[in-house]
């Protein structure tokens, strides 16, 4: 199956499948995945848990050669902070900051959290559609006439990456989560008339790494005014909750939902 990008010299060249839903630019999941991959290469201690990743898309990332670099900005006994940058033709187009925290003893007691009930993990297809970037099973409006999230009620998604991010490399759990959480923007910003917000950045928080290939998202909040929006979603795997996604977005009216490879549920 065609990967999102291939290596060339000291950078990467995107394939057409890496296009997002806003035209011939890189999808946010590819941008975030490459930045997370660069971050992860600077953390070899298995006891350090990736607790936060913030991805900032500073301009539309063209489907052209790019470079990704990362560096440790702070290292302590219980944490490590890593920054990453994506450039094209020497210009900064996206960046990320990540925080790793050291795993330890879990405190006792009962904690309060909003309960989230996800649809069951979808049955594995006999064959994945190679024409779409990922496998995504969406749940929401079931009338069959609109995109499933184009309604004012609850919406969910199960996502499974089906191709390499970088040719010949197996996706790590952290990179898989970093790619999936980009869907927070479209999941939370759809209205009854469609999707008219494009994400400017997104943040992934993780209490643990995902288990298995499927990552679920459940929309929690959408707040917007004067063309500026924030949205949040719960992240889960087949074993339960693992963290949250938060997106900030600005009004834009050129979304093509066919790039999201929806499967109505």
């Amino acid at each position: 199956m065609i990967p999102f990008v291939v290596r060339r010299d000291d950078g990467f060249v995107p394939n057409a499948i890496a296009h997002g839903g806003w035209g011939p630019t890189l999808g946010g999941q590819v941008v975030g995945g490459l930045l997370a991959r660069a971050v992860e290469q600077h953390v070899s201690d298995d006891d350090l848990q990736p607790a936060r990743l913030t991805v900032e898309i500073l301009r539309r990332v063209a489907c052209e050669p790019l470079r990704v670099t990362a560096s440790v900005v702070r290292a302590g006994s219980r944490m490590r902070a890593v920054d990453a940058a994506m450039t094209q033709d020497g210009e900064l187009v996206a960046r990320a900051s990540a925080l790793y925290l050291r795993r330890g003893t879990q405190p006792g007691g009962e904690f309060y959290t909003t309960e989230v009930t996800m649809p069951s993990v979808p049955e594995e297809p006999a064959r994945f559609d190679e024409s779409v970037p990922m496998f995504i099973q969406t749940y929401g409006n079931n009338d069959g006439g609109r995109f499933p999230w184009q309604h004012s009620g609850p919406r969910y998604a199960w996502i499974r990456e089906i191709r390499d991010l970088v040719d010949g490399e197996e996706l790590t759990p952290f990179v898989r989560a970093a790619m999936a959480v980009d869907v927070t923007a479209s999941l939370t910003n759809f209205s009854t008339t469609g999707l008219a917000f494009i994400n400017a950045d997104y943040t992934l928080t993780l209490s643990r790494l995902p288990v298995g290939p499927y990552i679920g998202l459940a929309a929690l909040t959408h707040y917007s005014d004067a063309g500026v929006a924030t949205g949040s979603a719960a992240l889960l795997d087949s074993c339960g909750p693992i963290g949250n996604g938060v997106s900030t977005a600005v009004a834009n009216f050129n979304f093509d939902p066919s790039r999201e490879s929806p499967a109505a549920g």
Side-chain angles (χ1 to χ4, degrees):
M1 191 175 291
I2 296 173
F4 284 115
V5 303
V6 295
R7 298 181 191 83
R8 179 178 295 175
D9 299 326
D10 59 349
F12 305 98
V13 176
N15 287 314
I17 195 66
H19 291 186
W22 301 96
T25 57
L26 254 63
Q29 81 275 21
V30 178
V31 174
L34 289 172
L35 289 166
R37 173 185 176 274
V39 164
E40 195 170 43
Q41 291 177 348
H42 287 267
V43 183
S44 58
D45 188 339
D46 290 339
D47 287 333
L48 287 174
Q49 159 71 31
R52 177 190 54 78
L53 174 75
T54 297
V55 174
E56 297 179 77
I57 303 172
L58 303 175
R59 61 179 66 185
R60 293 194 178 190
V61 183
C63 289
E64 298 175 358
L66 57 89
R67 292 188 63 203
V68 184
T69 58
S71 61
V72 176
V73 295
R74 184 183 175 191
S77 61
R78 301 183 67 186
M79 58 82 69
R80 182 168 299 184
V82 185
D83 286 354
M86 178 178 290
T87 58
Q88 288 185 317
D89 293 326
E91 297 289 332
L92 182 66
V93 294
R95 63 188 178 188
S97 64
L99 177 66
Y100 282 71
L101 299 176
R102 187 167 299 281
R103 299 180 180 95
T105 302
Q106 172 67 10
E110 297 181 1
F111 301 91
Y112 171 78
T113 188
T114 302
E115 185 176 355
V116 175
T117 302
M118 282 287 293
S120 299
V121 176
E123 183 177 348
E124 186 92 346
R127 182 177 181 180
F128 291 109
D129 182 355
E130 296 189 19
S131 69
V132 295
M134 71 189 83
F135 173 80
I136 176 169
Q137 181 76 40
T138 59
Y139 306 81
N141 172 49
N142 296 317
D143 67 10
R146 297 180 296 177
F147 189 83
W149 296 338
Q150 193 172 326
H151 73 132
S152 58
R155 66 282 302 269
Y156 310 90
W158 281 106
I159 296 166
R160 190 196 196 289
E161 299 298 337
I162 59 175
R163 64 184 72 246
D164 293 346
L165 173 62
V166 177
D167 191 18
E169 288 187 10
E170 183 177 353
L171 293 177
T172 67
F174 178 48
V175 171
R176 190 180 295 277
M179 296 176 72
V181 77
D182 173 64
V183 175
T184 300
S186 51
L187 179 75
T188 61
N189 290 323
F190 253 99
S191 72
T192 54
T193 58
L195 179 60
F197 286 98
I198 184 171
N199 57 326
D201 72 12
Y202 62 83
T203 294
L204 165 70
T205 66
L206 289 171
S207 60
R208 63 173 175 84
L209 289 170
V211 175
Y214 283 89
I215 294 178
L217 290 92
L220 297 178
T221 64
H222 168 93
Y223 307 121
S224 59
D225 185 73
V228 176
T230 68
S232 65
L235 266 69
L236 307 91
D237 62 11
S238 59
C239 300
I242 61 174
N244 291 95
V246 176
S247 169
T248 63
V250 65
N252 191 287
F253 302 93
N254 300 312
F255 180 70
D256 177 7
S258 67
R259 297 297 302 176
E260 292 293 318
S261 62

